[in-house]
Amino acid sequence: MELTEVWFVAIAVLWLGYFVLEGFDFGVGMLLPVVAGNDAERRAMIETIEPVWDGNEVWLITAGAATFAAFPEWYASLFSAFYLPLLVILVTLIVRGVAFEFRGKRDSPTWRWRWDAGIVAGSFVPALLWGVAFANIVRGLRLDSRHEYVGTVADLLNPYALFGGLTTLALFATHGAVFLALKSTGEISRRAVAVAVRTGVVAAVLVVVFLAWTQLHGGSLATAVLAALAVVSFVLSLVAVGRGRQGWAFLLSAVAIGLTVISLFAVLHPDVLPSTIDPAYSLTVVNAAATPKTLGLMTWVAVIFLPLVLLYQGWTYWVFRHRIGAG
Amino acid sequence: MDTVDLARWQFGITTVYHFLFVPVTIGLSVLVAILNTAWVRTGNPAYLRATKFWGTLFLINFAMGVVTGIVQEFQFGMNWSSYSRFVGDVFGAPLALEALLAFFLESTFLALWMFGWDRLPKLVHLACIWTVAIGSMVSAYFILAANSFMQWPVGVTVHRRAELADFGAVLTNKVLLATFPHTILGCWLAGGVILMAVSAWHLARKRDADVFRPSLRLGAVAVLVGAAGTLISGDVLGKIMTQTQPMKMAAAEALYDTRQPAPFSLFTIGTLDGTRPLFALEVPGLLSQLATGSFDGKVQGVNDVQREYQRRFGPGDYRPYIPLAYWSFRLMIGFGMLAGLVALVLLWLTRGGRLRGKGWIWRAAVWSVVLPFLAHSFGWVFTETARQPWIVFSRMKTVHGVSPSVGVGTVLTSLIVFTLLYGVLAVVEAGLMIKYGRMAPPSDDVTEPGEPSPAY
């Protein structure tokens, strides 16, 4: 396998890690006003993700930086093309991040209410916009011969991309509800199950349509199989959560999100950013890549350190494995 | 203003802002780890209370450092896509390594430390905060490797773009080897000042001396080490700067004509356009010493370097904005040294178990809290603006680095959004730091690790 292919896979893995992990903490954040009935319950919900959300977000930072290093042209075209959506994502992620730390720092309901609103918005908006962004990546952008984006913001808000946004939104909300059902006790856990089933049905419909639609952008038998498996695991996850098998439910919804990400990247390959103006202007795994020297160096570092990261992040989940109640 | 100006303003504002929190994070993580170690070793409850007290201030800061850091990574692609295309092969690698080797470590082990008090054995818990401290220094190393590459691009061959030739050279860039200790010691100075200033506030009110007297002394020692260390490493850095970027050194002194020996001016009143000095208070030979290590060394002036650069790089103006370089250089040094002076006085007054001093020295100690932030900010302003017009010295000019597809309105929008957001958050953060800085230290109880009810 060429190193460029290795790094295409590596980038996909980093985004997969990001969406599976931050996906559930976005979900918990979004569901704050839905599941919790009072401040103690909101507090307990936040406690379920507090020790892990920051580590989850590092997957995004690593995905961004690895794209910069392994595919500089991809990074440059993508980030300048998605300027305004990324600005919105950054602002909401900033507010959300400080909200986790700041909300408990003053004993005032207004203060807490404001930061909670920040957590909700900071979970809702990125969950939507990441879907919009990824659908646009798969669909392609108006790139000129220098790989510069010549479209407008309005071009990014096309029906397929917006549908992609709704899909990730619903998927993450369900993923979060499933996580919450697993990690909380009593009333919160019961309500989370009910929410997971309800949002799950909506998400299942969205994900079927979105993945089928995605196949039109260069799908193959393999990508169709991946998409079908994603849908199957997602439905099984809903069945499991309904039957009180919350560990399985969470595992399956994680698998479903993982397979969805893989199927999107599989449809995208060998492009990394197709041009809708002329296929000759598309960025591919080859013409967007860094030199073999840089890729080789990064491969060694990733091979040694990524397993280590998984190991100690896994340990965190083990240390904080207890269920949390509002008591 | 065009996109280049706006993108530069945005980079300047977001970077200086981000770097208000980074030094506190790096500095306080080590100091909290030291106090935590003192508690584990001695069992003295005062150290535990101190650990928790400073830990809270550390966490408030850490959150701001993390969230403003993401902006830094993203804006290379958003505002500076041509730069990113040109340097990605070299510049991206340290950023990726920073994320993979340092950020995961910091965020994961900080959470373990923060929420693991009653879930982890004492020594494992202690190891977590040390891991955070080391992680934050590793992170600084990689980010400074990236920055040093912009100052002195080694380890590359340039074809259509800058391509990595020798990563070892990038990681042992002589600018990096001087910049890293300079920055880290500056961070200890910043962390130390927080301990010093907040402790002074409490001690002046005779509160919790068992917690705040050792904290004050630890902080003051960190400030002294930081001040002395930045001075020494800064001296080394100055000599390297003279070899690598003679224009920067000339701009730092506003030395227009080559002189041997060259004096160092403590302050200068110049013409408004900054091209000619009117009055200067000078120390003879000192600039020669700073730049070359000899009191009668030759230091090149701006005009001569300008002529030389035109020969090497073609026609153009290679002069940075000199008054800014001149004053930011002095203010960086001045504010840093002033903090060192305050620390020296406080160590003297609190020696041998004593706690004396007039009201004014406590007030001075409290207000010294602003000094390292001013020093750091001016330091970044100096090192980044005195490199201009280059974005990568001798390889790429800043005007060629911006995103061609991004319009003025877009950059202006994000500049306004970030400025407003950062402004609001600054007020909130300062308010919280003051509130928690004035609180009494928390109690010394830690429940022993118990059996949790597992979810999985």
Side-chain angles (χ1 to χ4, degrees):
Chain A
M1 203 150 113
E2 294 283 328
L3 281 177
T4 49
E5 303 289 333
V6 170
W7 275 92
F8 182 80
V9 172
I11 301 288
V13 167
L14 291 169
W15 281 106
L16 184 157
Y18 178 62
F19 286 137
V20 166
L21 294 172
E22 185 122 293
F24 76 73
D25 68 54
F26 278 152
V28 173
M30 277 188 264
L31 295 175
L32 218 48
V34 182
V35 172
N38 54 42
D39 190 62
E41 291 182 350
R42 275 192 293 278
R43 168 78 239 149
M45 280 178 72
I46 291 168
E47 240 177 84
T48 63
I49 54 172
E50 221 164 19
V52 292
W53 77 267
D54 189 18
N56 295 347
E57 200 155 289
V58 176
W59 286 83
L60 166 67
I61 300 171
T62 311
T67 309
F68 196 170
F71 299 101
E73 291 281 333
W74 189 13
Y75 170 81
S77 296
L78 196 64
F79 280 55
S80 56
F82 288 168
Y83 197 108
L84 289 174
L86 284 178
L87 175 66
V88 177
I89 287 175
L90 284 172
V91 167
T92 47
L93 285 182
I94 288 172
V95 172
R96 170 184 141 100
V98 291
F100 284 125
E101 184 58 40
F102 288 180
R103 78 177 292 280
K105 288 284 181 285
R106 271 186 200 280
D107 193 18
S108 137
T110 324
W111 171 269
R112 273 199 301 276
W113 183 88
R114 282 186 188 155
W115 288 117
D116 288 348
I119 292 176
V120 176
S123 306
F124 196 89
V125 173
L128 178 79
L129 289 185
W130 284 129
V132 175
F134 267 79
N136 272 310
I137 293 173
V138 172
R139 179 178 179 266
L141 298 176
R142 292 174 55 79
L143 295 186
D144 67 10
S145 58
R146 299 166 306 152
H147 309 307
E148 289 290 346
Y149 181 59
V150 291
T152 62
V153 181
D155 293 340
L156 301 175
L157 303 175
N158 55 77
Y160 170 69
L162 291 174
F163 203 87
L166 290 178
T167 307
T168 49
L169 186 71
L171 268 180
F172 293 160
T174 312
H175 193 41
V178 170
F179 176 79
L180 203 56
L182 172 67
K183 284 287 288 181
S184 60
T185 59
E187 201 50 35
I188 302 177
S189 185
R190 263 194 300 284
R191 265 181 252 142
V193 170
V195 170
V197 173
R198 260 183 289 148
T199 59
V201 172
V202 179
V205 175
L206 288 171
V207 93
V208 168
V209 177
F210 176 66
L211 288 181
W213 198 345
T214 302
Q215 298 304 310
L216 301 179
H217 295 284
S220 62
L221 181 63
T223 62
V225 170
L226 283 169
L229 287 173
V231 172
V232 170
S233 17
F234 191 67
V235 171
L236 286 176
S237 159
L238 297 183
V239 173
V241 81
R243 294 189 170 187
R245 305 299 298 267
Q246 290 145 353
W248 280 106
F250 181 66
L251 189 69
L252 284 163
S253 73
V255 169
I257 290 174
L259 286 171
T260 304
V261 175
I262 294 173
S263 77
L264 290 179
F265 273 88
V267 171
L268 184 62
H269 188 267
D271 285 341
V272 291
L273 199 56
S275 169
T276 53
I277 296 177
D278 182 341
Y281 301 160
S282 292
L283 280 171
T284 66
V285 174
V286 174
N287 71 13
T291 56
K293 183 145 196 156
T294 297
L295 293 175
L297 166 86
M298 299 229 310
T299 305
W300 277 111
V301 177
V303 164
I304 297 166
F305 287 96
L306 204 55
L308 201 66
V309 169
L310 287 173
L311 214 62
Y312 63 68
Q313 277 212 338
W315 182 52
T316 317
Y317 282 85
W318 179 250
V319 170
F320 300 111
R321 66 189 176 281
H322 57 294
R323 286 176 190 265
I324 288 159
Chain B
M1 280 214 232
D2 56 10
T3 41
V4 180
D5 292 327
L6 291 170
R8 281 185 66 189
W9 272 107
Q10 182 167 330
F11 199 85
I13 290 169
T14 53
T15 305
V16 167
Y17 190 76
H18 176 58
F19 212 79
L20 296 176
F21 309 107
V22 171
V24 180
T25 301
I26 295 177
L28 277 187
S29 63
V30 171
L31 296 172
V32 170
I34 290 172
L35 286 165
N36 199 347
T37 309
W39 171 60
V40 170
R41 285 182 62 103
T42 63
N44 182 347
Y47 291 143
L48 175 59
R49 297 175 67 211
T51 305
K52 287 182 168 179
F53 180 84
W54 302 112
T56 304
L57 293 187
F58 168 65
L59 293 173
I60 292 171
N61 250 277
F62 188 85
M64 290 289 283
V66 167
V67 294
T68 54
I70 310 179
V71 178
Q72 297 304 100
E73 181 194 289
F74 277 34
Q75 72 177 323
F76 288 117
M78 290 164 73
N79 283 334
W80 304 96
S81 69
S82 297
Y83 167 77
S84 302
R85 286 182 212 283
F86 181 69
V87 299
D89 196 60
V90 193
F91 189 84
L95 295 195
L97 296 191
E98 184 195 24
L100 192 63
L101 269 54
F103 287 160
F104 274 122
L105 214 60
E106 278 181 86
S107 60
T108 310
F109 284 90
L110 183 63
L112 285 162
W113 185 76
M114 196 167 24
F115 302 105
W117 282 96
D118 54 355
R119 302 200 180 277
L120 295 169
K122 240 188 216 176
L123 281 174
V124 177
H125 186 252
L126 176 64
C128 289
I129 189 73
W130 277 109
T131 309
V132 173
I134 291 164
S136 67
M137 282 189 265
V138 172
S139 154
Y141 192 81
F142 284 117
I143 210 67
L144 291 171
N147 183 268
S148 298
F149 170 78
M150 298 168 79
Q151 312 287 347
W152 185 238
V154 291
V156 290
T157 47
V158 176
H159 301 295
R160 183 175 52 86
R161 58 179 178 180
E163 295 182 349
L164 185 65
D166 181 356
F167 196 57
V170 173
L171 290 185
T172 54
N173 188 338
K174 60 181 170 182
V175 174
L176 170 63
L177 295 183
T179 303
F180 177 69
H182 191 62
T183 310
I184 290 294
L185 288 156
C187 293
W188 291 357
L189 191 153
V193 161
I194 301 273
L195 259 69
M196 200 168 83
V198 176
S199 301
W201 190 87
H202 287 273
L203 291 175
R205 285 157 186 77
K206 311 218 180 314
R207 291 182 192 163
D208 293 289
D210 58 331
V211 172
F212 289 114
R213 197 183 153 276
S215 295
L216 177 100
R217 290 184 62 85
L218 176 63
V221 168
V223 172
L224 262 190
V225 170
T230 44
L231 204 58
I232 296 164
S233 57
D235 182 55
V236 176
L237 188 55
K239 289 172 179 57
I240 292 170
M241 189 167 82
T242 310
Q243 300 162 18
T244 54
Q245 295 168 280
M247 182 62 94
K248 205 177 194 175
M249 196 54 169
E253 178 51 30
L255 185 74
Y256 286 91
D257 300 304
T258 302
R259 285 176 76 172
Q260 181 178 23
F264 181 86
S265 61
L266 293 176
F267 73 91
T268 302
I269 297 164
T271 51
L272 274 181
D273 62 353
T275 54
R276 219 156 32 82
L278 297 175
F279 172 79
L281 185 65
E282 295 179 336
V283 182
L286 184 57
L287 182 65
S288 290
Q289 166 62 27
L290 281 177
T292 65
S294 148
F295 277 99
D296 58 359
K298 182 163 127 184
V299 183
Q300 279 187 295
V302 171
N303 297 332
D304 295 290
V305 185
Q306 163 71 9
R307 275 192 289 277
E308 188 200 317
Y309 280 10
Q310 282 188 329
R311 264 199 310 280
R312 273 172 69 192
F313 307 118
D317 187 354
Y318 297 95
R319 294 169 301 179
Y321 186 54
I322 309 248
L324 184 63
Y326 178 88
W327 282 109
S328 55
F329 188 65
R330 267 150 198 77
L331 293 171
M332 166 185 75
I333 299 172
F335 287 125
M337 292 309 108
L338 204 53
L341 194 68
V342 176
L344 204 60
V345 174
L346 284 175
L347 277 177
W348 176 257
L349 290 173
T350 56
R351 73 195 188 283
R354 269 170 288 195
L355 201 60
R356 288 190 313 203
K358 302 256 186 286
W360 66 266
I361 179 65
W362 296 117
R363 271 199 299 282
V366 172
W367 282 104
S368 71
V369 76
V370 297
L371 297 174
F373 300 99
L374 291 168
H376 279 289
S377 300
F378 284 116
W380 276 113
V381 166
F382 170 70
T383 201
E384 297 304 286
T385 62
R387 186 186 62 237
Q388 305 300 329
W390 301 106
I391 193 166
V392 179
F393 177 71
S394 80
R395 298 297 191 179
M396 186 187 219
K397 285 189 180 168
T398 308
V399 285
H400 299 135
V402 286
S403 305
S405 59
V406 175
V408 173
T410 308
V411 188
L412 186 62
T413 306
S414 73
L415 178 62
I416 293 170
V417 168
F418 279 127
T419 308
L420 290 178
L421 176 70
Y422 280 11
V424 171
L425 289 179
V427 173
V428 174
E429 142 99 18
L432 284 178
M433 287 295 278
I434 292 170
K435 175 180 149 92
Y436 280 83
R438 286 177 172 178
M439 274 189 179
S443 73
D444 60 358
D445 43 280
V446 173
T447 46
E448 287 303 308
E451 270 306 302
S453 68
Y456 38 81

